[in-house]
Amino acid sequence: MTESNGSTEQQRAAMPDWEKRFRAPRVSLPDWAEDAPHRALFVSNATGTYELYAWDRGTGQQRQVTNRANGTTDGVLSPDGEWIWWFDDKDGDEFGIWRRQRFTAPKSTDAVDGDAGLDADADAGVTEADAPAAPGLEPSYPGGLAIGRDGRTAVVGRSTDEDGSTIHVVRLGEEPVEIYRHRESAGVGDLSHDGSLIAVEHTEHSDAMHSALRVLRPDGSTVTELDDTKGGTVELGLEVLGFAPVDGDTRLLIGHQRRGRWEPLVWDVATGEETDLALDLPGDVAAEWYPDGSALLIAHSFEARSDLWRYDVASRELVQVPTPQGTVSGATARPDGTVEYLWSSAAEPSVVRSTTGEIVLDPPGLKSPGSVPVEDVWVEGPGGRVHALIQKPAGTTGPLPTVFDIHGGPTWHDSDSFAAGPAAWVDHGYAVVRINYRGSTGYGREWTDALKHRVGLIELEDIAAVREWAVTSGLADPARLILTGGSWGGYLTLLGLGTQPDAWTLGIAAVPVADYVTAYHDEMEALKAMDRTLLGGTPEEVPERFEASSPLTYVDAVKAPVYISAGVNDPRCPIRQIDNYVARLTARSAIHEVYRYDAGHGSLVVDERIKQVKLELDFATRHLPQ
């Protein structure tokens, strides 16, 4: 039975703000088709599960493209706007195949009028319309995808434990052709506008943190290479940002680290000429082409915030694109020269804006409440100044029960952006401290690369320094300190509980690494390569480093109550190594709780995420001193 509008409104009014933030419909930045810019693809949680949606901007019509129990977020729109490719795995295990369906809806999934909002009732699961996009390629982990302008050719990257990395040219009606293979990690970077050149990122030199580049022809022959990992005392990385969007144009926009941070340059792969932009901007800089190839849209990130600039290639003029203070998590230049971007701050929910001043895509229904702004704190740590972002309930003074919410990655960073999880803790009276420890991005190459070999232990030194500041400053109550995080943050939580047992009152770890050796043997091949880079070898080659960095080594020292949640299909932090850690807690009757759910590395289902937050909040209420 369908609820009346009055009943629905009553339920919304009774719902706490923290839950509304998870349930309110969100949308990603729409990705538009290069040769059909009125056609776009985006992700939304409008149905309660994150799925792909097609949007005809000319008519306003939107329709749900995918409809799977555990959600779908990986999709690519072909340049001609005719086809949507989406990745089909099993219950979040990230191992699967690409499928495709036409942009226009099959008869049974006719689009609804744009004024009606997102079509939450469309029957858009895996149907006959979702045929395998690359017949002949067995299931794998994805390794990049680039689709040709004709919609009939694609370059597909794959990764498996058996084959390592492979790249294939797929043409409609023909068998896939393998053009690249190597044991180390590699992936598709981009396909040139005319389809004659393929840019590949690879780590054949066995450093998974710093890629080199190779440009191939569709027959697999090499055009040219660029490798910044050789010839110096420090290995530097390169990344593909995109070919110029002009037929016959051999300019490739790439990112480099030659001056100690990420910056763009233009590399002509035919002549070898490199045009260094030498932008006078602090922090990390990325870029993408404007649609006519005459300018670059610059994305600039510095000290947990970001902004946008336009760089004219001919005149070398740099002009700022106005955006509010906060974080731009995605941006794109449209054919008319306007820029659309996904923006938020810690206090204000995300929204897709345009430089015209308009909101580009505003989903109907429940609106997300805001939260409190962040305060910036810099703390002297053993490796330099550590940047922390602080949120606390409005009008409160310390000492407060405090949550140290540690980000994953590790090559990632917390920013002044909207996050429902930290806001939920603030609503319940906690201060929240987020820390951009060594290993985080956005503070220069040396900061990101600093955690090699003493993995986990270096990050925890920075976390300890910020913890000490939080206590001595009067913000945090030393008797009520929670260490928490997901993925790498979950790993640091368990490692911190064991190596700093007197520092933390309780720990909450989501999808963590708990037993590093077993995790290495069970995880996907790309993460094995990353671990070999971070630790300097395999568990058999450097056993002492794996032992020093594994939470399992210190599990018997853990004093605080421990809560762990884990996806049973997780290929990144597999369940067996978590079970090993939990068995050790159980053997000594340590206080702990474990929640296992049927998904992978996190959940795309809103109800499931809310359930997990409720469990975490309840665990803290029951075990934290009042």
Side-chain angles (χ1 to χ4, degrees), residues 580-610:
N580 292 346
Y581 185 91
V582 171
R584 290 280 293 275
L585 291 174
T586 303
R588 64 184 187 87
S589 299
I591 299 173
H592 70 283
E593 295 178 15
V594 183
Y595 173 64
R596 298 174 178 84
Y597 55 93
D598 186 20
H601 198 60
S603 177
L604 299 175
V605 180
V606 172
D607 279 341
E608 175 60 42
R609 183 64 186 126
I610 289 172

Side-chain angles (χ1 to χ4, degrees), residues 423-555:
W425 287 106
V426 172
D427 283 3
H428 285 80
Y430 296 85
V432 176
V433 179
R434 289 181 285 169
I435 303 165
N436 286 332
Y437 51 77
R438 277 172 288 173
S440 302
T441 54
Y443 300 87
R445 177 187 52 75
E446 290 186 6
W447 192 260
T448 302
D449 289 356
L451 55 78
K452 282 187 178 181
H453 299 172
R454 292 184 61 244
V455 173
L457 305 173
I458 287 175
E459 299 96 295
L460 286 170
E461 290 176 355
D462 293 345
I463 293 168
V466 176
R467 176 199 175 277
E468 179 66 17
W469 166 85
V471 171
T472 57
S473 70
L475 170 70
D477 181 348
R480 295 186 292 171
L481 301 181
I482 301 174
L483 185 60
T484 186
S487 190
W488 197 265
Y491 157 64
L492 293 175
T493 295
L494 296 184
L495 189 63
L497 294 178
T499 60
Q500 303 167 350
D502 296 317
W504 308 106
T505 314
L506 60 87
I508 300 174
V511 291
V513 174
D515 168 3
Y516 217 141
V517 173
T518 302
Y520 175 86
H521 289 300
D522 289 359
E523 67 194 4
M524 60 171 65
E525 181 58 37
L527 293 185
K528 286 186 174 71
M530 179 61 75
D531 283 338
R532 291 193 296 270
T533 297
L534 290 173
L535 290 157
T538 68
E540 292 71 33
E541 293 167 338
V542 287
E544 70 288 349
R545 289 180 181 169
F546 275 83
E547 181 180 11
S549 293
S550 178
L552 189 65
T553 302
Y554 312 97
V555 64

Side-chain angles (χ1 to χ4, degrees), residues 223-245:
V223 176
T224 188
E225 301 191 54
L226 193 62
D227 188 349
D228 279 4
T229 67
K230 300 176 180 177
T233 57
V234 178
E235 291 192 345
L236 306 174
L238 298 168
E239 63 178 350
V240 173
L241 300 177
F243 277 106

Side-chain angles (χ1 to χ4, degrees), residues 61-75:
Q61 291 179 328
Q62 300 168 358
R63 72 175 181 89
Q64 186 179 339
V65 173
T66 53
N67 182 14
R68 302 193 304 152
N70 282 308
T72 316
T73 58
D74 291 339

Side-chain angles (χ1 to χ4, degrees), residues 26-369:
R26 303 183 192 180
V27 292
S28 68
L29 180 72
D31 180 28
W32 52 275
E34 184 178 357
D35 295 329
H38 63 288
R39 292 186 168 183
L41 184 69
F42 64 92
V43 177
S44 177
N45 65 337
T47 63
T49 302
Y50 285 90
E51 298 286 2
L52 295 168
Y53 288 79
W55 177 26
D56 188 318
R57 301 179 63 154
T59 65
Q61 291 179 328
Q62 300 168 358
R63 72 175 181 89
Q64 186 179 339
V65 173
T66 53
N67 182 14
R68 302 193 304 152
N70 282 308
T72 316
T73 58
D74 291 339
V76 178
L77 185 58
S78 63
D80 61 6
E82 291 295 325
W83 293 99
I84 297 167
W85 287 51
W86 61 274
F87 193 75
D88 182 15
D89 65 351
K90 183 179 179 181
D91 298 325
D93 68 356
E94 302 181 44
F95 195 84
I97 65 171
W98 287 99
R99 296 185 182 274
R100 73 174 193 165
Q101 65 170 265
R102 287 199 174 274
F103 182 89
T104 52
K107 185 66 176 177
S108 61
T109 59
D110 285 340
V112 296
D113 186 82
D115 292 338
L118 305 180
D119 182 9
D121 299 318
D123 178 17
V126 180
T127 68
E128 291 183 4
D130 296 288
L137 291 183
E138 294 297 318
S140 69
Y141 298 112
L145 171 69
I147 304 175
R149 292 176 66 201
D150 60 3
R152 302 172 60 86
T153 305
V155 184
V156 180
R158 303 170 65 254
S159 173
T160 66
D161 291 345
E162 296 77 20
D163 298 331
S165 301
T166 60
I167 295 176
H168 306 257
V169 173
V170 177
R171 296 182 176 90
L172 191 64
E174 301 179 17
E175 287 293 313
V177 177
E178 182 182 302
I179 62 169
Y180 178 92
R181 175 181 290 259
H182 200 277
R183 286 302 312 169
E184 298 293 343
S185 298
V188 178
D190 196 22
L191 179 65
S192 65
H193 199 252
D194 60 8
S196 65
L197 300 169
I198 300 164
V200 173
E201 296 180 0
H202 70 83
T203 59
E204 294 174 7
H205 48 282
S206 301
D207 181 347
M209 293 183 70
H210 303 99
S211 293
L213 305 183
R214 182 171 298 146
V215 178
L216 305 175
R217 300 181 183 90
D219 63 4
S221 59
T222 298
V223 176
T224 188
E225 301 191 54
L226 193 62
D227 188 349
D228 279 4
T229 67
K230 300 176 180 177
T233 57
V234 178
E235 291 192 345
L236 306 174
L238 298 168
E239 63 178 350
V240 173
L241 300 177
F243 277 106
V246 180
D247 266 351
D249 196 326
T250 55
R251 293 176 300 168
L252 178 63
L253 185 63
I254 67 172
H256 70 91
Q257 296 180 301
R258 295 171 183 174
R259 284 188 288 266
R261 60 173 186 157
W262 281 109
E263 299 176 73
L265 67 79
V266 177
W267 176 35
D268 190 322
V269 302
T271 66
E273 180 183 4
E274 298 178 13
T275 303
D276 189 349
L277 307 188
L279 301 175
D280 186 19
L281 296 171
D284 286 339
V285 182
E288 68 171 46
W289 295 96
Y290 271 74
D292 62 0
S294 66
L296 302 176
L297 178 61
I298 303 295
H300 168 233
S301 175
F302 181 58
E303 295 185 349
R305 291 171 181 84
S306 54
D307 48 34
L308 300 174
W309 301 72
R310 185 185 188 277
Y311 177 86
D312 187 280
V313 174
S315 68
R316 303 178 72 90
E317 182 183 18
L318 184 66
V319 178
Q320 187 163 14
V321 177
T323 60
Q325 180 171 307
T327 295
V328 176
S329 53
T332 183
R334 295 280 291 168
D336 63 1
T338 62
V339 174
E340 296 176 353
Y341 58 96
L342 182 64
W343 174 91
S344 72
S345 69
E348 299 178 71
S350 61
V351 60
V352 181
R353 297 175 179 267
S354 169
T355 49
T356 64
E358 299 175 332
I359 294 177
V360 176
L361 187 58
D362 186 20
L366 179 67
K367 300 303 180 184
S368 173

